[in-house]
Amino acid sequence: MIRFVTATFIIVFASTAIAADKASVEEGARIAVTGGCHDCHTEGFAESGGKVDTKKALLGNQIGFQGPWGTTYPANLRITLSKMSENEFVKYGHTMKTRPPMPWYGVNTMTDHELRSLYQYVKSFGEIGRPAPEYVEPNQTPKTPFIVFAPPNMPAQ
Ligand code: HEC
């Protein structure tokens, strides 16, 4: 009897652990919200109070961020991920580095499980859309609207 209970417990425990370890689209959807990815990479997301429009989700943004680094645009992640396998994205996610204000260091710390889920979520949309505008060098004028990152009262260093 004890042996039976122990065996049952091990089987139940092991299968729960496997289920929890399975990357999923649902988990990726949650990470894209908690990780802040939609805030920049999905047009209208922040303004809507956090509603994901699946027609626009992670298609990138036409509004740039300007600072000493030039002007950068949140990339169309559906296009970026369409060029990689899931395993390639896991490697890329752990090592990627971009210009500001992309929080690449946060993506670097994600677990394999989180990166796999994010990949599956981005791939679930199908239609990959058009690329975000190209990066613009400092001192050049972008052709699109942009947000300036410049504290007006920054104390002298
Ligand atoms: C504050 C805005 C912001 C947030 C938040 C943000 N990103 Fe970005 N992301 C950007 C910008 C801007 C770029 C372009 C950087 C450049 O041009 O070097 C970018 C670039 C990227 C790239 C590189 C794409 C390519 O093709 O080169 C990836 C991948 C990426 N972001 C993933 C994510 C993920 C995943 C999250 C959520 C965990 C996230 N980003 C959150 C702004 C943001």
Side-chain angles (χ1 to χ4, degrees):
M1 180 64 184
I2 288 173
R3 215 179 283 161
F4 174 74
V5 170
T6 312
T8 310
F9 177 76
I10 289 169
I11 290 163
V12 170
F13 181 77
S15 57
T16 314
I18 290 164
D21 200 41
K22 193 152 172 19
S24 70
V25 171
E26 293 69 31
E27 177 74 349
R30 196 185 62 78
I31 294 163
V33 174
T34 56
C37 317
H38 288 299
D39 288 308
C40 292
H41 290 270
T42 303
E43 278 182 357
F45 173 77
E47 294 86 335
S48 76
K51 292 194 188 70
V52 180
D53 177 349
T54 51
K55 288 198 197 75
K56 293 186 182 159
L58 305 175
L59 281 176
N61 211 309
Q62 302 292 313
I63 303 175
F65 289 111
Q66 190 173 80
W69 58 85
T71 308
T72 48
Y73 297 85
N76 178 334
L77 298 183
R78 299 193 200 179
I79 294 183
T80 307
L81 270 59
S82 72
K83 297 176 185 153
M84 299 180 203
S85 68
E86 189 174 304
N87 285 340
E88 283 165 352
F89 179 67
V90 170
K91 249 189 230 156
Y92 168 83
H94 285 311
T95 54
M96 69 172 287
K97 188 172 180 188
T98 72
R99 288 169 288 248
M102 163 65 206
W104 49 268
Y105 31 81
V107 179
N108 289 173
T109 65
M110 284 186 181
T111 62
D112 286 13
H113 173 85
E114 288 169 327
L115 290 167
R116 287 186 189 287
S117 295
L118 203 50
Y119 181 89
Q120 291 173 19
Y121 174 57
V122 176
K123 295 292 267 195
S124 73
F125 295 115
E127 192 66 44
I128 64 171
R130 63 185 173 134
E134 297 267 339
Y135 162 71
V136 180
E137 299 278 347
N139 307 321
Q140 295 200 355
T141 314
K143 294 191 184 79
T144 68
F146 56 89
I147 295 163
V148 182
F149 269 55
N153 56 352
M154 187 76 142
Q157 293 290 318

